[in-house]
Amino acid sequence: MYDGFARRINGKLAHSSLSTQDPKVHVKFRKPIASAFSLTAVTAYEPLVDDMVSKFLSRLGEVSQDPREGTCNMALWSRLYAHDVILHLTFSSTLGFMDAGADVDDFISKLDGNLNRNALLSTMPWTAYWLKHNPIVGLLWKDNYMFTSWVLQRIQGRIAERQKMHKSGTIHTKDGKTDFLDVFLDAARSDDDPSNYNFTLLIDWTLVNVMAGADTTAIGLRAVLWFLLKDPSRKELLLQEIHGAKLSVPVSWKRSQQLPYLDACIKEALRLCPAIGLGLERKVPGAGLKMPDGYVLPEGTNVSMNAWVVNRQSTFGGNVDDFIPERWLRQGGESVQQHRNRTTRMKRADLTFGGGARACTGKYIAFLEIYKVVPALLLKFDINLVDQDADWVTINRWTVRQNDIQCRLKPRK
C-alpha cells in the first residue's frame, strides 16, 4: 500500500520515509533528525508557535467583531492556523493563510487533492503505477511534482542565503531563532564537503513537515473544540480549571502541562478522532503470527490495525464511543499507582499517532500547537456552536477531515 506515497525522480521510483518498507532504509531516513523531534527539541520552537497563536487570536478577534461575518467556521480556521504554524516552524515564514482567512494559491486544496489520490493508491496499490508512477501520467499531471518542486525551491533559496552570508563573514541567524530547515540542512550536509548536501534526505524531511504536519494537527484541534462545544458542562469544567490557574496568553507549554483536565480533554478527543482513518499495513515476520483463536498467519501476510477501531477497545473502559475525559483522571478509591498503571495501558493502546519505530515524528509539534491554543481560545472567547444539535461531517481520504464547524465567537472582557 505504501508505493502510492513514493516519489518519481528522473524516471525512477524513489522511496521516502513514509513509503519505504525496509526497516534499515527507514532508519537511514529518520535517524539523522530524530533528536530534532524530541519533546525537548520541539519546545525550543515555542516562541515561533507563540507568534502564530497571537496571530490566530487576533484574526479571530477581528472576525468575531465584523458584523458581516456573523459566524466563524472553526474547521477552516483550525486548518489555517495549523498550516501557518508548520510553515513558520519549518521556514520561519508562512503563506499568510490566517491573514487571508482562506486558502492561498490553492495550496490546501491541492494538498487535499494529493491526499485524496494517495488514499486511492494505498487502498488499491495496483493503481499507483497507472495514476502516479506511469511516466506518461507524470508528464501530463504536474500536481504529481508540485510540492516536491515547491519545497526544493525553498531549500535551494536557503542554501544560497547561507552561502552568501558565509562569503560575507556573517553568521547565519534569524533574530536568534532557528527553524526546522536549518536543522535539516545541518543534518544533510556532507562531512567531507560542507557545501554538498544530501537532497534526497532534505526533500523527504521537508516534505513530511509541509504535507503531513498541518492537516493532522488541524484534525486534532477540531476534535478537541468539537467535543467540548458539544458538551457545555465539560467545557465549563475546563473553563473553571483554566481561570483558576490564572494563565497569561499566550499560554506557555510548561503551564499547559499543569492542567490535568485540559490534558484529559485533549487525550480523549484525540482518542475518539485519530487523524489517520485507514489501517497501516505491516508484514508478518519470522515464523508467523499466532492469533488469539490459535490460527497462525504465515510469514509475509499483510496485517493492519485501524486506530479508529483500536482506540475503542475495552482497555479504555466503558462507553468507549463517548467523550468522557474523566476516564484519564484518577477515579474514586483508585491509588496513585493503580491510576498510573491504568493510564499507561491506555496510552500504550492508543494508536492516534501510530506506534513503534514508525510512530508519527511530529507528535510533539501537534501537542505543542494544541495544548497552547485551546486554553488561549477559551480564555479569549466565549465560543458556542451555531446549531447545538447539528452533527459534524467527516470525510475519510487517508486523513479524516471534519468540515463546517460553524461557531459564534464573543470576546471575553
Side-chain angles (χ1 to χ4, degrees):
M1 68 177 289
Y2 294 103
D3 282 353
F5 292 96
R7 299 185 300 276
R8 192 173 187 85
I9 299 177
N10 296 327
K12 296 181 180 180
L13 188 74
H15 278 294
S16 65
S17 57
L18 181 58
S19 69
T20 183
Q21 298 177 57
D22 186 329
K24 293 181 180 179
V25 174
H26 186 257
V27 168
K28 288 181 180 178
F29 274 109
R30 294 267 297 252
K31 188 176 180 179
I33 56 164
S35 62
F37 290 91
S38 68
L39 179 57
T40 300
V42 166
T43 52
Y45 295 102
E46 189 168 2
L48 292 174
V49 178
D50 285 342
D51 292 343
M52 295 297 99
V53 171
S54 297
K55 170 78 74 175
F56 191 30
L57 298 175
S58 175
R59 289 293 290 120
L60 289 181
E62 294 170 7
V63 170
S64 69
Q65 297 182 60
D66 188 342
R68 296 171 300 175
E69 295 285 349
T71 62
C72 172
N73 183 358
M74 287 303 293
L76 170 63
W77 278 96
S78 296
R79 186 78 182 271
L80 303 179
Y81 162 74
H83 274 286
D84 271 347
V85 171
I86 197 61
L87 292 181
H88 197 43
L89 292 178
T90 305
F91 304 113
S92 295
S93 63
T94 76
L95 290 181
F97 292 107
M98 288 189 287
D99 286 330
D103 193 1
V104 176
D105 297 332
D106 291 328
F107 187 92
I108 295 175
S109 175
K110 289 176 180 176
L111 180 59
D112 285 349
N114 192 289
L115 285 172
N116 292 346
R117 184 167 74 253
N118 284 342
L120 170 67
L121 305 185
S122 62
T123 52
M124 292 187 285
W126 59 270
T127 64
Y129 176 78
W130 296 107
L131 298 180
K132 186 171 185 178
H133 299 308
N134 185 326
I136 297 175
V137 172
L139 291 173
L140 300 176
W141 199 346
K142 297 303 180 184
D143 279 0
N144 255 345
Y145 310 103
M146 172 194 157
F147 290 100
T148 301
S149 299
W150 187 87
V151 158
L152 182 58
Q153 288 176 6
R154 276 146 187 81
I155 292 172
Q156 291 172 329
R158 180 67 62 83
I159 291 174
E161 179 185 328
R162 281 186 162 202
Q163 291 172 340
K164 182 178 180 180
M165 288 184 170
H166 178 72
K167 289 179 180 178
S168 66
T170 305
I171 298 174
H172 181 78
T173 180
K174 297 177 291 301
D175 300 325
K177 298 176 182 178
T178 189
D179 56 30
F180 274 104
L181 185 52
D182 278 336
V183 174
F184 296 161
L185 285 167
D186 289 341
R189 187 166 51 190
S190 169
D191 292 332
D192 298 326
D193 181 3
S195 65
N196 187 30
Y197 296 88
N198 185 326
F199 277 87
T200 298
L201 294 178
L202 270 174
I203 292 171
D204 178 77
W205 297 334
T206 313
L207 270 177
V208 169
N209 263 28
V210 170
M211 298 187 69
D215 183 24
T216 49
T217 300
I219 289 168
L221 177 56
R222 291 178 192 138
V224 176
L225 294 175
W226 174 260
F227 287 116
L228 285 171
L229 296 176
K230 290 291 285 184
D231 194 333
S233 63
R234 287 192 166 97
K235 183 181 75 169
E236 183 59 34
L237 286 174
L238 179 55
L239 276 168
Q240 290 175 15
E241 179 181 70
I242 291 171
H243 284 302
K246 300 187 184 306
L247 302 170
S248 59
V249 176
V251 178
S252 72
W253 168 258
K254 182 177 179 180
R255 294 288 281 125
S256 77
Q257 297 307 289
Q258 298 168 355
L259 303 172
Y261 200 67
L262 171 69
D263 182 59
C265 288
I266 292 174
K267 280 187 170 67
E268 182 70 349
L270 296 180
R271 177 188 73 83
L272 285 170
C273 190
I276 305 301
L278 298 178
L280 301 175
E281 288 182 0
R282 301 289 186 269
K283 287 188 181 295
V284 173
L289 175 66
K290 187 174 183 180
M291 303 300 288
D293 63 358
Y295 183 79
V296 177
L297 295 173
E299 179 183 0
T301 304
N302 284 341
V303 296
S304 71
M305 295 187 291
N306 190 307
W308 279 72
V309 177
V310 175
N311 285 9
R312 285 167 168 77
Q313 60 183 298
S314 59
T315 303
F316 296 96
N319 301 312
V320 291
D321 288 320
D322 297 333
F323 178 69
I324 307 174
E326 290 77 10
R327 75 174 79 243
W328 295 93
L329 303 176
R330 186 178 169 190
Q331 307 298 307
E334 187 177 43
S335 71
V336 173
Q337 189 59 50
Q338 287 173 330
H339 173 241
R340 183 180 294 116
N341 292 342
R342 180 174 61 82
T343 54
T344 296
R345 289 194 298 271
M346 289 163 62
K347 291 174 186 177
R348 291 183 63 187
D350 191 330
L351 282 185
T352 298
F353 292 96
R358 300 189 69 130
C360 174
T361 55
K363 175 174 69 174
Y364 293 122
I365 298 175
F367 283 164
L368 188 65
E369 294 182 48
I370 294 172
Y371 275 85
K372 287 174 65 67
V373 82
V374 169
L377 283 170
L378 294 178
L379 280 171
K380 287 294 185 181
F381 301 100
D382 179 16
I383 310 176
N384 294 283
L385 292 169
V386 171
D387 183 354
Q388 192 65 34
D389 297 324
D391 204 354
W392 63 1
V393 176
T394 61
I395 301 173
N396 185 1
R397 296 291 186 273
W398 180 254
T399 56
V400 183
R401 297 168 225 147
Q402 317 97 318
N403 295 320
D404 201 29
I405 304 176
Q406 295 294 335
C407 299
R408 289 192 177 90
L409 275 65
K410 182 178 179 182
R412 296 188 188 276
K413 297 181 179 179

